[in-house]
Amino acid sequence: MLGYYIRLALKSFRRTPGLTALMVGAIAFGIAACIVTLTVHHAMGRNPIWWKNNVLYAVTMDSWTPEHPYDPADPEHSPTMLTYRDATYLYGSDIPKRKALLAFVQGVLAGAPGQTAPLWAMTRATDSGFFHMFDVPFEYGGPWSAAADRGPKPVIVLSRRTNERLFGGRNSVGRTILWNNLRFRIVGVLNHWDPKPRYYDLSGGGTGNFGRPAPAFVPFKWGPMLHLFPNGHVSCWQAPGAKPIETYRQMLGSNCVWITMWVELPTAAQRERFLNFMNAYWAEQRTMGRFQRPRDNRLWKVSQWLKLHHIVSNDSRLLLRVAFAFLAVCLINTIGILLAKFLRGAPLAGVRRALGATRRQIFAQHLIEVTVLAVTGSCLGLALGAAGLAGVRALYAHSYSAYGALAHFDLIGIAWALALAAASTLIAGLYPAWRIGRVSPARYLKSQ
Amino acid sequence: MTLSEAAMLRMQDISKIYRTDLIETHALRELSLEVRAGEFVAVSGPSGSGKTTFLNIAGLLETFDTGTYELDGRDVSRLSDDARSRIRNEKIGFIFQGFNLIPDLDIFDNVDVPLRYRRMKAPERRKRIESSLELVGLAARMKHLPSQLSGGQQQRVAIARAIAGDPALILADEPTGNLDSLMARQIMDLLEKINAMGTTVVLVTHDPELARRAERNIHIVDGVVLDPASQSHLPQPAPQVSGAAD
């Protein structure tokens, strides 16, 4: 009967082409609006490394001044980065399976064959653990060794894009390149890796929280070694009467927070040990006059880290609500039109009932009609949604806005569209189909 | 076999009241009647007498308030809506005054409708559709839409649709009401032909001339069947021979 009902549905659409176009259009525009906002919203809020959510932890300590909160808008909010002093001390622990310090430093790449101009490259200063912890894929070579971290040795990892620009995408591992006028050996080239949001560093530095990964990576210690001031987000406070920061050494000993620290703690016991380690350090520092605020040492899961940074913007939430309200309006209109259309066809339903159709069969016939309508509307909605996302990308092509970076149609978007279509079918079609199924066969036979 | 045992339709004390907030309308008042299998019965009466209500109840299109109704030997008084739909589909063929064809289905598909609901296989459906359209003389117009046919032809399609499922009972509600006299005679000829093939026909009509062509006449006034003896203006049924006498 399914084929028969589909044929009847198509005939019904041909009978009322204007109404059909109106309903398909309403469903399509409602779904397209939801697809665009849902795709961006979903991409904003997703955890790109969910499979390690209970293993990876961002480390924070409240080293801020007792005089005023770190974030006046949210007084409970401690700094999300560490001072150099705290970060290097905590990094010295051997409790974590892996660990990494993250900061941005300025870098200039030169000396590649055929390179005519130096390439400015905001460089990620980090540790070899970074690549292992975050499952960073390599096209050529791999991360540098732990020994290179300690040196530090002049080794560098290039992003795929940088390797394409400097070496035409060929395997450059083993070659040397000038980084800030020092000769560095290329040990690895990343494969495509562009997690969004850039969960491992939400300090807003570089290309923003949704930007591309850094074009180059060097061992963390090269920053202090070359006295390279951090090029990402830095927040400082100074005790009353303290001298202003003028030298790099003063910067390292200051209360400025600028380092993000991640640790890999696979077991609960390791987590507890590391937290105890942090607490002991905090207590020791407090006796020396630091950490005058209440103790707030924390380990943040990736999901908690994303939430802490309000990575899903309020604009996105608002847009999502507006889009769903729009879909609801579209569906309500569709329900009204369907109801009117079906009830206008009640005499025909009465004839079918007289000829032996059960209520369920009449209901099924009309529900299939709604389903065909919803499928058509959804297909059009998918196309409009794809066009909408392309439009958003074009609109934000030259900015670091999350909307431009995240407006990509993916399987999740299609899944959302299908789920929306199914829900729309049920919502828009159930009641009108049920109403027409309840038609008394005798009522319309004389008037037909 | 007695007459009573061979009843196709037996109603006993059927009452039907239509209620609104303000008024109650007694459409049928303890109506009792019996139609034997293979009989051709005409039901007549003035407007508002309850003929259509009788027909709707007989066709299981409406329920009734009190009484009992047996169709082809089965008590159908208190069946579920699904069961009534099934019986309508299998045992009853309807012919309406306004033809009630589905306008955007061609003739073939119109006749196909009741067979679809019986979940018949396609070859069987095709066979039945073709033979019933042949019987009404429209086999050559299968792919025409109802709007491309005359009123008489549309009614013949409706008859083909009614008989395609090989029902035991045909209920015809003023089937010639929208037709001229020539067409009306042709439709009556068809109904007689179908009746001659063994199908029971109950015809509701205003037209005394058509009623006269039936084997038996039943006159309904104010929701009750008049005593045949009081219907001097209508032809009385021919004497029936009891099956038991055979």
Side-chain angles (χ1 to χ4, degrees):
Chain A
M1 292 294 272
L2 182 65
Y4 180 61
Y5 290 151
I6 291 174
R7 201 152 61 87
L8 293 181
L10 296 178
K11 279 182 185 293
S12 168
F13 296 154
R14 275 201 292 274
R15 200 163 52 228
T16 53
L19 277 184
T20 305
L22 196 63
M23 289 188 284
V24 167
I27 293 173
F29 277 108
I31 285 180
C34 285
I35 285 174
V36 173
T37 51
L38 264 174
T39 303
V40 173
H41 186 82
H42 170 79
M44 266 187 176
R46 77 177 156 202
N47 179 352
I49 193 157
W50 50 268
W51 61 94
K52 281 193 163 179
N53 196 47
N54 295 324
V55 174
L56 298 180
Y57 294 89
V59 180
T60 62
M61 298 185 91
D62 192 354
S63 61
W64 207 245
T65 171
E67 304 297 324
H68 55 84
Y70 172 70
D71 181 359
D74 183 5
E76 301 299 310
H77 190 176
S78 297
T80 52
M81 292 185 290
L82 300 173
T83 64
Y84 177 77
R85 201 186 330 178
D86 299 334
T88 49
Y89 182 83
L90 296 178
Y91 185 78
S93 165
D94 58 2
I95 298 167
K97 183 182 173 191
R98 292 188 181 108
K99 55 205 174 182
L101 303 179
L102 282 73
F104 269 122
V105 290
Q106 188 146 349
V108 177
L109 292 169
Q115 187 183 359
T116 52
L119 181 67
W120 182 82
M122 179 87 132
T123 305
R124 164 79 59 210
T126 187
D127 302 285
S128 55
F130 173 89
F131 303 99
H132 299 289
M133 286 164 79
F134 299 125
D135 292 349
V136 181
F138 278 80
E139 187 176 19
Y140 305 117
W144 56 77
S145 64
D149 282 328
R150 287 191 294 272
K153 288 185 178 168
V155 286
I156 190 166
V157 166
L158 302 181
S159 73
R160 183 179 177 161
R161 189 178 154 88
T162 308
N163 190 57
E164 277 168 6
R165 291 176 75 176
L166 298 179
F167 296 97
R170 288 184 297 278
N171 186 354
S172 58
V173 170
R175 305 184 77 140
T176 58
I177 191 169
L178 292 176
W179 182 75
N180 287 338
N181 281 327
L182 293 171
R183 193 155 289 281
F184 274 64
R185 186 168 55 85
I186 299 167
V187 293
V189 175
L190 299 190
N191 209 332
H192 175 74
W193 183 64
D194 191 8
K196 291 189 194 310
R198 206 180 56 194
Y199 61 94
Y200 53 88
D201 182 0
L202 297 174
S203 62
T207 51
N209 292 338
F210 294 92
R212 291 196 192 98
F217 300 76
V218 296
F220 182 83
K221 280 190 177 173
W222 278 109
M225 180 81 90
L226 300 178
H227 289 197
L228 296 173
F229 275 91
N231 214 3
H233 185 82
V234 180
S235 294
C236 298
W237 66 275
Q238 281 189 299
K243 285 182 184 171
I245 298 167
E246 288 172 347
T247 66
Y248 192 79
R249 190 166 293 281
Q250 285 172 335
M251 166 80 184
L252 295 186
S254 73
N255 286 313
C256 295
V257 290
W258 53 281
I259 300 170
T260 303
M261 181 176 185
W262 285 89
V263 287
E264 185 171 333
L265 301 164
T267 66
Q270 278 175 304
R271 284 194 290 280
E272 197 178 333
R273 278 180 63 208
F274 191 73
L275 208 51
N276 288 339
F277 173 74
M278 289 172 72
N279 291 343
Y281 170 69
W282 180 88
E284 182 193 274
Q285 292 291 305
R286 191 174 166 91
T287 58
M288 293 161 65
R290 290 186 69 216
F291 295 138
Q292 291 306 303
R293 293 171 68 83
R295 190 178 76 187
D296 189 17
N297 301 332
R298 294 208 205 189
L299 296 173
W300 302 84
K301 291 179 182 181
V302 178
S303 55
Q304 294 169 329
W305 191 239
L306 293 169
K307 204 174 279 181
L308 175 72
H309 284 82
H310 304 294
I311 211 68
V312 179
S313 72
N314 287 335
D315 285 357
S316 170
R317 285 197 192 91
L318 184 66
L319 276 174
L320 194 64
R321 284 191 206 114
V322 170
F324 270 96
F326 179 61
L327 177 65
V329 170
C330 292
L331 287 182
I332 289 167
N333 277 307
T334 305
I335 291 169
I337 297 170
L338 272 176
L339 203 55
K341 182 183 171 184
F342 284 177
L343 290 180
R344 204 177 67 176
L348 293 181
V351 172
R352 288 184 178 277
R353 294 275 285 129
L355 298 176
T358 60
R359 282 180 177 160
R360 207 175 306 126
Q361 284 169 322
I362 296 293
F363 174 77
Q365 178 197 326
H366 288 84
L367 199 62
I368 296 290
E369 182 171 337
V370 178
T371 306
V372 173
L373 196 73
V375 167
T376 313
S378 303
C379 290
L380 189 61
L382 273 172
L384 287 175
L389 287 171
V392 171
R393 277 201 305 278
L395 201 62
Y396 291 95
H398 302 295
S399 77
Y400 289 145
S401 164
Y403 295 112
L406 299 175
H408 291 276
F409 211 22
D410 56 5
L411 282 176
I412 301 291
I414 293 170
W416 273 117
L418 293 177
L420 272 174
S424 308
T425 306
L426 284 176
I427 294 166
L430 270 180
Y431 178 64
W434 177 81
R435 274 288 299 271
I436 195 70
R438 309 296 295 180
V439 158
S440 160
R443 187 170 168 197
Y444 296 99
L445 292 174
K446 276 278 185 188
S447 62
Q448 231 287 74
Chain B
M1 188 188 288
T2 64
L3 274 177
S4 177
E5 282 166 343
M8 170 57 62
L9 182 157
R10 182 191 293 147
M11 290 181 174
Q12 190 70 45
D13 301 328
I14 296 280
S15 294
K16 175 74 182 178
I17 304 170
Y18 293 107
R19 291 184 174 86
T20 65
D21 289 343
L22 296 175
I23 53 168
E24 285 189 347
T25 307
H26 291 256
L28 297 180
R29 300 165 191 266
E30 297 183 345
L31 177 142
S32 297
L33 66 81
E34 189 171 300
V35 176
R36 292 181 300 279
E39 213 177 357
F40 191 145
V41 173
V43 177
S44 56
S47 284
S49 60
K51 301 188 300 293
T52 299
T53 304
F54 155 73
L55 204 74
N56 286 341
I57 289 172
L60 304 179
L61 295 170
E62 275 191 67
T63 55
F64 46 91
D65 299 313
T66 59
T68 57
Y69 173 24
E70 281 178 31
L71 178 68
D72 202 13
R74 181 180 176 188
D75 186 352
V76 293
S77 309
R78 299 284 173 260
L79 291 178
S80 69
D81 192 79
D82 273 8
R84 293 211 314 263
S85 297
R86 265 195 304 280
I87 293 176
R88 265 202 308 276
N89 183 251
E90 290 169 10
K91 288 193 180 295
I92 304 172
F94 288 96
I95 303 167
F96 306 98
Q97 180 178 358
F99 323 135
N100 283 351
L101 299 178
I102 296 172
D104 51 5
L105 296 184
D106 63 26
I107 303 313
F108 183 96
D109 284 340
N110 261 288
V111 179
D112 190 28
V113 172
L115 308 181
R116 285 270 181 183
Y117 293 124
R118 208 186 282 192
R119 297 184 185 282
M120 246 175 219
K121 294 264 187 284
E124 174 67 10
R125 291 203 320 267
R126 172 165 284 280
K127 203 173 95 185
R128 283 176 180 244
I129 295 165
E130 284 172 355
S131 71
S132 52
L133 281 174
E134 210 148 300
L135 185 78
V136 301
L138 288 171
R141 319 283 303 254
M142 273 187 218
K143 291 297 156 196
H144 285 68
L145 289 171
S147 58
Q148 296 169 308
L149 302 180
S150 70
Q153 287 172 322
Q154 287 189 46
Q155 194 59 298
R156 276 150 60 194
V157 175
I159 291 172
R161 182 177 66 184
I163 61 173
D166 198 16
L169 173 66
I170 295 276
L171 297 174
D173 188 4
E174 304 275 10
T176 58
N178 287 357
L179 304 176
D180 60 37
S181 56
L182 179 64
M183 293 284 189
R185 272 202 297 280
Q186 286 178 356
I187 294 302
M188 280 306 290
D189 290 346
L190 255 178
L191 289 177
E192 283 172 349
K193 195 169 162 186
I194 292 162
N195 177 244
M197 292 158 76
T199 307
T200 309
V201 177
V202 174
L203 166 75
V204 168
T205 183
H206 271 111
D207 188 339
E209 192 186 329
L210 295 181
R212 227 172 274 128
R213 291 178 65 167
E215 264 176 61
R216 181 159 68 101
N217 276 249
I218 294 171
H219 201 63
I220 296 179
V221 176
D222 289 338
V224 293
V225 176
L226 281 191
D227 186 334
S230 67
Q231 302 173 48
S232 54
H233 62 292
L234 288 170
Q236 293 308 301
Q240 298 297 318
V241 179
S242 166
D246 291 337

